[in-house]
Amino acid sequence: MKIILIRHGETEYNRRHLFYGKTDISLNDTGVQQAYLLNEKLAGMRLEVPIYTSSLKRTIETAELIFPDQKKISLNELDEKDFGLWEGLSADQINERFPEEWEKWLISPFEVTPANAEKFSDFQQRVLACLEVMLQKKQDFVIVGHLGVLRVILKDWFPEYEFWEIALDQGNYTLIEVGESTTKVIEWNK
C-alpha cells in the first residue's frame, strides 16, 4: 500500500508562528501557491485513491487545489490537536499569560495539557484509531493533514524518530509504503 502524506498550505497563523489547532483559518496567498505547486508536482502520478482531510478549512482548501476533480473525505478524527486557551497566541504571549503552565509544558509537552486543551494522549489515540480504519481497507490513500497529525502517524510508524524533529514542509509530500511487516519511506518532502 502506498500512502501520500501532505501538510496543508501556509496560513497567516503559520506565518506569524502562532499556536493553533482547532482554530478554523483559511490558507493565505502563499498557502494557495504551495498547493498549486504541489498539484503540478503530483500531476505525473495517476492518483485515483481516497483523499482524506480534516474537517478544517486549511486542509480542505489545500486538497481542493491539489486534487480539484477528486472526491475528498473530511474526518474530524484528523483535526489538529486543540490547544485550548493557547489558540491564536505566540510562544511569547503564552509565556506572558500562562508562565507556570508554559514552563511545565516545555519540560513535558506530552504530559502537560494547557487549559481547555485536548490531552496529547487523546489526540494521539484518535488519530491512530482513524489511521487504522484507513489501513484496514488495504488500498492506497492520501492524507492532507496538519503537522501534529502527520507527526503522530510518522512517529507511530518510525518510533526511532524524535516527534519534534519530524520535518514536514508545507507544499511538499511524503510517500510511504506500508507492507505486511514493514513500513518504509519512498520519498520524503519532495
Side-chain angles (χ1 to χ4, degrees), residues 56-70:
L56 302 172
K57 286 187 247 184
R58 55 196 185 266
T59 63
I60 295 168
E61 291 169 356
T62 301
E64 282 296 329
L65 295 169
I66 298 171
F67 308 104
D69 300 323
Q70 289 179 255

Side-chain angles (χ1 to χ4, degrees), residues 88-144:
L89 302 177
S90 68
D92 288 342
Q93 290 170 320
I94 295 167
N95 186 34
E96 184 180 300
R97 295 180 195 179
F98 309 96
E100 289 178 36
E101 193 175 58
W102 177 246
E103 276 304 310
K104 289 177 185 175
W105 186 81
L106 288 175
I107 294 166
S108 300
F110 304 114
E111 288 80 35
V112 174
T113 304
N116 297 345
E118 181 178 20
K119 286 183 181 178
F120 182 82
S121 59
D122 293 344
F123 165 62
Q124 182 180 38
Q125 184 177 5
R126 97 170 134 78
V127 169
L128 294 178
C130 182
L131 177 66
E132 186 56 35
V133 170
M134 293 177 198
L135 292 172
Q136 287 174 359
K137 295 178 182 178
K138 301 207 180 291
Q139 64 181 10
D140 298 349
F141 60 89
V142 172
I143 296 176
V144 179

Side-chain angles (χ1 to χ4, degrees), residues 21-52:
K22 294 285 184 159
T23 303
D24 202 10
I25 185 169
S26 290
L27 300 177
N28 64 15
D29 290 342
T30 300
V32 169
Q33 288 307 309
Q34 289 167 335
Y36 279 132
L37 289 172
L38 195 48
N39 170 287
E40 292 174 17
K41 282 185 189 180
L42 295 174
M45 292 185 189
R46 296 180 64 89
L47 296 173
E48 310 244 347
V49 300
I51 311 293
Y52 295 102

